[in-house]
Amino acid sequence: MTDKEEQKIEFKAEVSKVLDIVIHSLYSNNEIFLRELISNASDACDKLRYALLIHPDLSKEASAFKITLTPDAKADTLTVTDNGIGMDKDDLINHLGTIARSGSAEFIKSLTGDKQKDMALIGQFGVGFYAAFMVADSVTVKTRKAGTDTGYVWTSAGADSFTITEGEKLPVGTSVILHLKPEAKEYLEPIRLRHLVRQYSDHIALPIILKEGNKEETINSASALWTRKKTDITPEQYKDFYQSVSHAFDDPWLTLHYKAEGVIDYTALLFVPTKPPFNLFQPDRKSGIQLYVNKVFISDDIPDLMPFYLRFVTGVIDTNDLPLNVSREMLQKTPVMSKIKKGIVKHLLTELKKRAEDKADYQKFWDSFGIVFKEGLYEPIDERDEVAELCRFHISTTDELISFADYVGLMKQNQENIYYLSGADLATLKTNPQLEGFSARGIPVLLLTDPIDEFWVQTFTEYKGKKIVSVMHAKNDLEKIKPESEPTGDKLEKADELTKRIKEILGDKINAVQVTDRLTKSPMALITPEGQMSLHLERLMKANGQQIAYASDRIVEINPRHPLIHKLAEMVSRKESPDKVADAVWVLYDQALIAEGENIADPAAFAERLGNFVLSGL
Ligand code: ADP
């Protein structure tokens, strides 16, 4: 088959899936198709502008960049034309025949099969070019790539295939021709188009032209939003811009717009979203920041422009202090970038500090991004102390989120350390026996439930001279602080015989048995020694399929005031019913495992022993 003939190509299965939903469900917000196509057109112009810097010979084909909208009421078509980079045959097959963008791939993963529900997901993920099929029965793309001679015509009615033919004498750039569905005729009306462009695409830095017959009219402001004065920009315009640069559908929680003048001049327009984007934890995720040099788009994938713990920040940085043809290597080396990075981090943290004064407002931020922000306690950064001030935590003594500074204010007399307990969720942490001695003394304990918590506690070990210590390693600290009410029950004075016996019974399941002050209600608990992995971290690593080279030692702790412990000590010293003692020790041990969130080795044996005790009690 030669290139001149029409070639029919099947869409990849994922594309057909997306198209099926896009075409058949009535999405009330279908007007976003225009924003997606204009955004693609603008990207294509940016790409050609950048290519010209590297291959100046392409310039004979380039003209002043613009995007043209041509409604044709006779043909029932709306055409979106750009004079950008264009596509060759491979581009058409690869970009318009597969799912390239991660948003669409993620969209497919979350499909439920219920069309109405799935359609609503489009709002969350965006489907880029395919949004055209919300309003069009069929779509024709005429395009020629800069630097090539052959143009191509791509046509599809959605369904499961598209065709490609060679096109005659096409100009460089791309025209997307939408054959509008009967119910989408509103997109032929100039008023509607003007309105949509103003709403969604006003900030696009190229002229967007509405062409009616011979009449051409520029219908956007065509000035990059960030170059305008703050006082000339409405909250709506900021929001629309945020949604467009971030491919987002929520409101920005924080909008930060400033011009830095000094050693390095740059303008920053940055946003913190309200909702976390779906791909926050994907390792290959691009940064959400676009870099411009003197209003010319350079890249939206600048390595290391933002520290990792601020990777949810999106927006635009524009500077005149870099050459237009700046290369990736240069971006990685130049001190200009590291100075800009320092500047934006400082501004962002200052702004977060201001917003933290309103607790309810700040909690919204923390709920969405705290889990990422806390990575700043772990990353090797200069501003770790500032980051620490902005972190919030759940604690054992109130329901409010608190800061380290709040914690210090809540510390008891003679309390030297900041204590924490980590585990899978708040509910199990709150009932963990390890907290008992602390609760009895009114000592607050940070309750840490995010995986990252296990890591930062190893690097951020001190806040303003106060050590951050696991409750399991509180050692004798509790002795120095009086309980709020006197502990009930006598303290078992001689426990040696009992601890020795428990060790014999549990054998190599554990490494040691010791008496603790930390338990007030439970008879027994399980810990790991200081400097070794916590049980929670071991579980996390196993769940992640990671190998654990050395399992931590397990230490059984007993409560010397608990009547059960007294009774066992008595029985051991009198050598009374050793089998019953062994059964009781196993039950207590299994209960300690359960309280810690561990699995018990032999649930059937546990149930049987417990059943026997219950029966003899009745
Ligand atoms: P995204 O724009 O997020 O990558 P789309 O589905 O909107 O996803 O587009 C897929 C790809 O098709 C784009 O990345 C681009 O390579 C190509 N493309 C779409 N529209 C155009 C256009 N007007 N000019 C050149 N390439 C385009």
Side-chain angles (χ1 to χ4, degrees):
M1 190 184 288
T2 73
D3 270 354
K4 293 253 186 271
E5 289 168 41
E6 181 178 285
Q7 193 178 345
K8 185 172 163 199
I9 303 173
E10 303 275 309
F11 279 119
K12 289 272 181 317
E14 321 90 72
V15 180
S16 295
K17 241 191 216 170
V18 168
L19 285 174
D20 183 48
I21 295 164
V22 169
I23 292 167
H24 293 112
S25 315
L26 294 169
Y27 185 50
S28 53
N29 204 15
N30 67 12
E31 63 194 30
I32 61 158
F33 84 92
L34 190 62
R35 165 181 109 179
E36 299 291 323
L37 295 184
I38 288 177
S39 160
N40 282 349
S42 165
D43 288 350
C45 292
D46 282 339
K47 280 182 198 155
L48 179 52
R49 182 165 16 210
Y50 189 61
L52 291 175
L53 298 171
I54 299 161
H55 310 287
D57 48 309
L58 288 178
S59 64
K60 55 185 182 298
E61 290 194 299
S63 45
F65 291 114
K66 62 180 182 187
I67 299 165
T68 309
L69 307 183
T70 314
D72 181 340
K74 279 200 204 101
D76 285 336
T77 58
L78 172 65
T79 303
V80 181
T81 305
D82 66 69
N83 51 356
I85 189 93
M87 286 176 272
D88 59 19
K89 192 170 168 183
D90 283 347
D91 292 337
L92 281 170
I93 294 172
N94 291 329
H95 299 321
L96 302 187
T98 56
I99 297 281
R101 58 188 262 158
S102 54
S104 308
E106 227 28 61
F107 169 70
I108 291 164
K109 267 197 231 148
S110 22
L111 292 182
T112 61
D114 172 336
K115 284 214 173 121
Q116 235 28 59
K117 271 196 206 140
D118 290 346
M119 196 68 202
L121 287 174
I122 287 185
Q124 259 175 51
F125 296 114
V127 288
F129 170 78
Y130 303 109
F133 288 94
M134 291 181 185
V135 297
D137 289 323
S138 72
V139 177
T140 304
V141 179
K142 295 185 175 174
T143 182
R144 178 161 69 89
K145 189 166 185 164
T148 67
D149 296 326
T150 318
Y152 292 93
V153 180
W154 177 103
T155 309
S156 177
D160 41 34
S161 66
F162 57 90
T163 60
I164 295 184
T165 44
E166 257 181 40
E168 298 286 312
K169 289 205 185 86
L170 293 172
V172 162
T174 303
S175 280
V176 178
I177 304 158
L178 308 172
H179 304 271
L180 293 173
K181 294 180 181 179
E183 65 273 18
K185 294 281 161 63
E186 64 194 279
Y187 301 115
L188 293 170
E189 292 164 18
I191 294 183
R192 183 89 171 102
L193 294 172
R194 265 191 216 104
H195 176 79
L196 283 178
V197 166
R198 220 166 293 133
Q199 181 178 359
Y200 291 119
S201 313
D202 197 44
H203 58 84
I204 295 278
L206 314 169
I208 300 175
I209 290 164
L210 179 63
K211 191 167 174 189
E212 291 177 84
N214 295 327
K215 216 172 86 213
E216 293 196 351
E217 173 197 358
T218 302
I219 55 175
N220 65 331
S221 312
S223 73
L225 188 81
W226 61 90
T227 61
R228 294 190 219 156
K229 279 210 302 256
K230 273 168 91 162
T231 43
D232 293 345
I233 306 172
T234 65
E236 269 301 301
Q237 284 172 320
Y238 275 128
K239 175 183 156 180
D240 291 338
F241 181 75
Y242 156 73
Q243 295 191 333
S244 159
V245 283
S246 319
H247 293 280
F249 292 81
D250 56 345
D251 285 6
W253 177 80
L254 173 77
T255 302
L256 177 60
H257 186 187
Y258 69 91
K259 201 169 155 64
E261 278 161 343
V263 196
I264 306 283
D265 288 355
Y266 67 92
T267 300
L269 174 50
L270 302 173
F271 303 96
V272 174
T274 304
K275 292 192 192 128
F278 63 88
N279 58 356
L280 208 47
F281 290 96
Q282 280 173 10
D284 55 348
R285 177 177 182 269
K286 272 199 243 171
S287 108
I289 309 281
Q290 300 184 342
L291 178 71
Y292 285 74
V293 170
N294 199 8
K295 288 185 275 181
V296 174
F297 174 80
I298 302 296
S299 170
D300 59 0
D301 194 14
I302 310 279
D304 203 32
L305 175 56
M306 244 336 150
F308 209 53
Y309 73 96
L310 290 173
R311 63 182 177 275
F312 48 81
V313 176
T314 64
V316 168
I317 301 290
D318 193 347
T319 179
N320 291 344
D321 287 331
L322 289 170
L324 270 174
N325 58 352
V326 60
S327 66
R328 255 184 107 73
E329 293 69 45
M330 189 174 159
L331 282 173
Q332 268 164 336
K333 276 191 247 139
T334 169
V336 174
M337 290 313 286
S338 49
K339 287 192 177 122
I340 291 180
K341 177 176 176 180
K342 252 206 165 89
I344 51 186
V345 167
K346 191 162 156 247
H347 273 87
L348 279 165
L349 295 184
T350 307
E351 209 54 33
L352 287 175
K353 195 171 162 194
K354 278 191 218 152
R355 292 287 289 269
E357 284 166 21
D358 179 341
K359 283 192 179 170
D361 179 40
Y362 194 68
Q363 175 150 9
K364 284 188 208 147
F365 162 73
W366 193 256
D367 287 347
S368 289
F369 299 110
I371 186 171
V372 173
F373 191 80
K374 272 189 287 188
E375 291 176 20
L377 295 175
Y378 180 66
E379 270 175 72
I381 48 169
D382 296 335
E383 66 278 14
R384 208 186 261 167
D385 289 337
E386 284 95 314
V387 167
E389 295 297 349
L390 290 164
C391 287
R392 295 293 177 268
F393 305 94
H394 289 284
I395 54 167
S396 55
T397 47
T398 72
D399 285 335
E400 249 180 78
L401 279 180
I402 66 152
S403 63
F404 279 122
D406 296 334
Y407 185 98
V408 171
L410 294 171
M411 283 170 74
K412 293 281 157 184
Q413 205 184 357
N414 295 336
Q415 183 184 345
E416 285 168 12
N417 302 320
I418 294 174
Y419 294 107
Y420 73 87
L421 176 65
S422 55
D425 60 88
L426 276 184
T428 34
L429 283 183
K430 282 184 175 165
T431 55
N432 191 307
Q434 297 294 339
L435 283 183
E436 293 169 5
F438 293 84
S439 301
R441 291 165 176 79
I443 301 173
V445 174
L446 303 179
L447 302 177
L448 307 179
T449 54
D450 294 322
I452 182 69
D453 293 327
E454 286 287 348
F455 297 94
W456 71 253
V457 293
Q458 293 168 30
T459 51
F460 188 76
T461 52
E462 220 175 282
Y463 171 79
K464 295 207 170 149
K466 311 244 175 319
K467 287 214 170 62
I468 300 174
V469 177
S470 162
V471 293
M472 306 212 184
H473 307 136
K475 295 230 180 72
N476 305 327
D477 309 4
L478 290 189
E479 284 175 11
K480 295 182 213 139
I481 306 169
K482 266 177 81 81
E484 289 176 343
S485 56
E486 280 307 308
T488 50
D490 291 337
K491 190 164 173 177
L492 182 69
E493 287 309 333
K494 292 206 188 82
D496 292 1
E497 226 182 331
L498 176 62
T499 53
K500 206 173 130 227
R501 184 75 196 104
I502 295 176
K503 175 70 185 93
E504 282 166 12
I505 294 167
L506 297 177
D508 59 8
K509 287 264 183 249
I510 60 159
N511 301 76
V513 182
Q514 64 195 30
V515 176
T516 183
D517 266 341
R518 248 172 299 125
L519 300 174
T520 60
K521 294 186 193 127
S522 306
M524 189 184 277
L526 192 67
I527 66 165
T528 56
E530 201 163 355
Q532 298 191 16
M533 244 188 264
S534 71
L535 295 168
H536 177 52
L537 182 56
E538 276 192 10
R539 285 194 296 277
L540 280 176
M541 293 186 59
K542 277 188 203 147
N544 260 324
Q546 274 163 296
Q547 290 270 320
I548 297 170
Y550 298 99
S552 301
D553 289 348
R554 268 117 171 106
I555 298 175
V556 158
E557 292 194 317
I558 55 170
N559 174 358
R561 295 182 194 276
H562 200 283
L564 260 170
I565 296 296
H566 278 260
K567 179 80 189 167
L568 285 175
E570 214 179 289
M571 290 173 78
V572 168
S573 86
R574 285 203 218 126
K575 306 207 164 39
E576 192 185 318
S577 322
D579 290 349
K580 253 193 181 165
V581 170
D583 275 349
V585 167
W586 276 111
V587 168
L588 294 182
Y589 172 72
D590 280 342
Q591 282 177 335
L593 284 177
I594 293 169
E596 178 52 39
E598 292 276 299
N599 287 327
I600 53 180
D602 189 347
F606 171 69
E608 191 186 331
R609 288 186 188 117
L610 194 59
N612 289 340
F613 282 119
V614 173
L615 190 64
S616 63
L618 295 173

